[in-house]
Amino acid sequence: MKLRLTVLALAAALLLPAVFPGQGPRAQEPVQKQVFEAGSYRTRGGGTIANTRVGYQTAGRLNEARDNAILITHFFSGNSHAFGRLGGPQGPVGYWDAIIGPGRAIDTDRYFVISSDTLVNLNVPDPNTVTTGPATLDSATGRPYGLTFPVVSMRDFVEVQKRLLDHLGVRRLALVAGGSMGALQAMEWAAAYPEMVARVMPVIAHDIDPWNLAWLDVWEAPIRMDPNWRQGDYYAQGRQPPLAGLAEALRIVTLQSRDRQWARGLGMRPAEGNDPARNLLDRFAIEKWLDDAATARARTSDANSFLYLVRANQLFFNEYDSPEAAFRRSQARWLVVPTANDRVFPIEGVREMVETLRRVGRPVAVAEVAGPLGHLNGVANMGPLSDRIRAFLAE
Amino acid sequence: MKLRLTVLALAAALLLPAVFPGQGPRAQEPVQKQVFEAGSYRTRGGGTIANTRVGYQTAGRLNEARDNAILITHFFSGNSHAFGRLGGPQGPVGYWDAIIGPGRAIDTDRYFVISSDTLVNLNVPDPNTVTTGPATLDSATGRPYGLTFPVVSMRDFVEVQKRLLDHLGVRRLALVAGGSMGALQAMEWAAAYPEMVARVMPVIAHDIDPWNLAWLDVWEAPIRMDPNWRQGDYYAQGRQPPLAGLAEALRIVTLQSRDRQWARGLGMRPAEGNDPARNLLDRFAIEKWLDDAATARARTSDANSFLYLVRANQLFFNEYDSPEAAFRRSQARWLVVPTANDRVFPIEGVREMVETLRRVGRPVAVAEVAGPLGHLNGVANMGPLSDRIRAFLAE
């Protein structure tokens, strides 16, 4: 029950279609959340995480050549649940259910598909997320790390995933694909382990530029402003977590991940019983909607983890002289999937990235994802790209 | 000296060109700030403001027919200083200096040009801004209004300007022009007093839609979160104003009013002496730039006025059934000036507005303003549109 509520809250926050596409080519199969114990991990920045654990799920089977694996990397507020019915035949389906499953574009009858929770995952209070981050107990002190947790980068996410793939016996990836922050991980993979990655599909993202970096800081600022944040030291019993700041941070993300067309559905009308033309603190309906969605989402999220996630995004490609230098390392084929009216990663930035990829000689194709949601089209509306993805995997 | 510092802070926050175009067709003339006592004003929402005062400035002379007047309406964080050297021949020039002045596109040799401070103007601590809003002393109590000040709408801004124009003897406006929130006022003018407005030039704006309305709420949220805000009751001696919340609000506005190309100038590098790859609270250079610009700007701004300004923007066209109904009332010629990569009023929204204007039969032309600044191109880069504006005024 708790699971279902959590997933419904997530779906509400993402405005996923109310009806999930449960009848694909074949019914979706159940998946089970598993835990990978990665052991002691030394971060790229030189910190140490004593006991590193992340959750993951798989579907399909690894072939004898161990080269039919596909890695799905999740977005900022997501977790490993990209495909399959979680927990049983009646469980909720994953966010990319439309393109991953038996007989679907990313066919679990042919591929061994893996998706893992990242380090410093946002969904700490969600029982279906397993992560290691500032809310994790530090075995040295018996208390949560808080801000003593080392800074991690997008590359650190990849390194922990690499350990997971080694553990699973994967030798080569037919594809790494993800939306938004998932795309960032996919791009880091292509640069970090070029010999291992045959194809990359970054969806609704380009390389993080200074503009994105500054917006990420705008996202997190309300958390730092919340008096309950206490420099990250809010886990002790009797203390309140900075839910107001976290909700405000999530409100900004929620709005920027959508678009004008979506907003029109809520219109310019006042919230019920409110009169904003006369009372300064009264609310409009769209404000109330964002308040409610973000407040619900804050309850299944952790504020410090939000800050660490922001920093990991800001440290995208931080080990390379330039995005071009990173792209030059890649040996993969690229299918880049932008969406028009993306307010997080503007489509002209994606076009610039494609030009850079072409300039350094990477094989790259572009397929747009459409819809009224803006950035979130890349999470909620991928179904129509199925044939294009199938063709990409056959190249 | 205080004046110069204030104006420099404003210029820094706006990233105006370091060299002002002081040598136009003819040297810019000094302007003096004046005060208009509008008396008791009943707001459109039914509230009362006992003593309404706003600052204004003029250049040129009203002709005998009293129909050569042009009204310039200011942007969100601006004031009446759109043109002229304020205070004397060495004073700073206005933000639209490139297009307003003797011999310029909006020629003060031919036109009587007026610009006024709005109600609830943001720049309360600036000695060159005269406004009436929540920081004004309520004569009934002898204390600042705070949140007892009535909510005002964009239409209220227009009504106070109407009184000023009546006071100055203006019968007809050859043009109402403004950028961003100034464009909103210009559009309200065209709908409220259609017989009075011959031409409208809304720059870098479309009618406020639900998407804008929600972003305005994101802008103001940090003020409401600041414990020093105290529900608007922070004016009493010994109390601190909510400067942190106000600075964060201004930081969001500052970033959204710019663009990716501008951000590249600051790059992905850490702020001096900072190591964000290792220390979670360390800063990047672009974050530090935004922090500094916004903190400086907060000192010349008032937090409650920010909230009232946001609401006035949200109440744009609130007396009409739809933007179309408002546009239908207009009898003016329109020159609509958008800019590509505008992150506040996306250019596709401006295109939709132009379609609506055409559908209802308004004569409308479009001229794009260019530059690397995004939204702010419409404030800082108007010079190249001079000939187009001249032609528009000759139509």
Side-chain angles (χ1 to χ4, degrees), chain B residues 215-297:
Chain B
W215 272 108
L216 285 158
D217 187 51
V218 163
W219 289 5
E220 75 163 39
I223 293 171
R224 287 188 271 102
M225 283 187 63
D226 189 327
N228 285 336
W229 176 57
R230 298 165 183 264
Q231 299 281 308
D233 188 15
Y234 57 79
Y235 297 111
Q237 203 135 26
R239 289 200 173 164
Q240 295 293 321
L243 281 182
L246 179 54
E248 183 54 32
L250 289 162
R251 229 165 59 99
I252 307 175
V253 179
T254 303
L255 181 60
Q256 196 163 16
S257 300
R258 287 169 171 70
D259 186 33
R260 300 173 60 239
Q261 198 177 336
W262 163 82
R264 273 201 281 268
L266 288 153
M268 305 281 286
R269 65 180 181 282
E272 207 180 316
N274 282 243
D275 189 357
R278 281 175 190 79
N279 304 314
L280 187 76
L281 302 182
D282 273 13
R283 307 292 279 161
F284 288 93
I286 193 169
E287 295 173 331
K288 178 76 165 43
W289 187 95
L290 287 165
D291 293 345
D292 293 348
T295 302
R297 197 71 183 73

Side-chain angles (χ1 to χ4, degrees), chain B residues 298-330:
Chain B
R299 285 192 207 104
T300 62
S301 305
D302 173 60
N304 282 338
S305 301
F306 192 108
L307 304 183
Y308 277 87
L309 264 182
V310 158
R311 181 53 52 84
N313 279 270
Q314 293 177 321
L315 294 173
F316 177 71
F317 274 176
N318 70 319
E319 301 191 16
Y320 305 96
D321 288 340
S322 65
E324 182 168 329
F327 292 142
R328 205 183 288 276
R329 289 177 49 84
S330 157

Side-chain angles (χ1 to χ4, degrees), chain B residues 6-133:
Chain B
T6 304
V7 171
L8 282 177
L10 182 68
L14 289 175
L15 203 79
L16 290 175
V19 178
F20 291 103
Q23 59 281 48
R26 279 215 327 279
Q28 198 57 271
E29 287 176 16
V31 289
Q32 298 297 333
K33 190 87 184 201
Q34 296 179 266
V35 177
F36 172 57
E37 304 277 354
S40 176
Y41 173 71
R42 188 160 175 81
T43 68
R44 305 294 288 190
T48 301
I49 308 171
N51 301 301
T52 310
R53 305 168 80 232
V54 291
Y56 71 101
Q57 59 175 60
T58 69
R61 288 195 184 176
L62 192 60
N63 63 10
E64 272 194 37
R66 299 186 286 136
D67 64 0
N68 71 328
I70 289 180
L71 179 66
I72 307 295
T73 44
H74 69 70
F75 51 94
F76 190 89
S77 61
N79 69 7
S80 73
H81 190 204
F83 53 88
R85 289 199 176 274
L86 193 62
Q90 302 305 314
V93 297
Y95 64 86
W96 266 6
D97 181 77
I99 56 167
I100 308 173
R104 304 186 190 197
I106 296 174
D107 189 347
T108 51
D109 289 340
R110 299 185 53 188
Y111 293 99
F112 178 52
V113 186
I114 307 136
S115 179
S116 79
D117 300 332
T118 62
L119 288 174
V120 302
N121 187 290
L122 190 62
N123 306 284
V124 170
D126 170 10
N128 287 299
T129 302
V130 180
T131 188
T132 310

Side-chain angles (χ1 to χ4, degrees), chain A residues 44-45 147 151 206 208-211 213-215 217-218 220-222 224-227 229 231 244-245 248 251-252 255-256 258-260 262-264 267-268 276-284 286-287 290-291 307-308 311 314-316 318 341 343 346 348-349 352, chain B residues 44-45 147 151 206 208-211 213-215 217-218 220-222 224-227 229 231 244-245 248 251-252 255-256 258-260 262-264 267-268 276-284 286-287 290-291 307-308 311 314-316 318 341 343 346 348-349 352:
Chain A
R44 305 294 289 189
L147 297 205
V151 169
H206 53 71
I208 292 280
D209 67 9
W211 175 253
L213 188 150
W215 272 109
D217 188 51
V218 163
E220 75 162 39
R224 287 189 270 103
M225 285 187 63
D226 189 326
W229 176 56
Q231 300 281 307
E248 183 54 30
R251 231 165 59 99
I252 307 175
L255 181 60
Q256 196 163 14
R258 285 168 171 70
D259 186 33
R260 299 173 59 240
W262 163 82
R264 272 202 282 267
M268 305 282 286
R278 280 172 191 80
N279 304 314
L280 187 75
L281 302 183
D282 274 13
R283 309 291 279 160
F284 288 92
I286 192 170
E287 295 174 331
L290 287 164
D291 293 346
L307 304 183
Y308 277 87
R311 180 54 52 83
Q314 292 177 321
L315 294 173
F316 177 72
N318 71 318
N341 301 344
R343 309 300 177 189
E348 59 274 21
E352 289 166 22
Chain B
R44 305 294 288 190
L147 297 204
V151 168
H206 53 72
I208 292 279
D209 67 8
W211 176 251
L213 187 151
W215 272 108
D217 187 51
V218 163
E220 75 163 39
R224 287 188 271 102
M225 283 187 63
D226 189 327
W229 176 57
Q231 299 281 308
E248 183 54 32
R251 229 165 59 99
I252 307 175
L255 181 60
Q256 196 163 16
R258 287 169 171 70
D259 186 33
R260 300 173 60 239
W262 163 82
R264 273 201 281 268
M268 305 281 286
R278 281 175 190 79
N279 304 314
L280 187 76
L281 302 182
D282 273 13
R283 307 292 279 161
F284 288 93
I286 193 169
E287 295 173 331
L290 287 165
D291 293 345
L307 304 183
Y308 277 87
R311 181 53 52 84
Q314 293 177 321
L315 294 173
F316 177 71
N318 70 319
N341 302 343
R343 310 298 178 189
E348 60 273 21
E352 289 167 23

Side-chain angles (χ1 to χ4, degrees), chain A residues 96-113:
Chain A
W96 266 7
D97 182 75
I99 54 166
I100 307 174
R104 304 186 190 198
I106 295 175
D107 188 347
T108 51
D109 289 340
R110 298 185 53 188
Y111 293 100
F112 178 54
V113 186

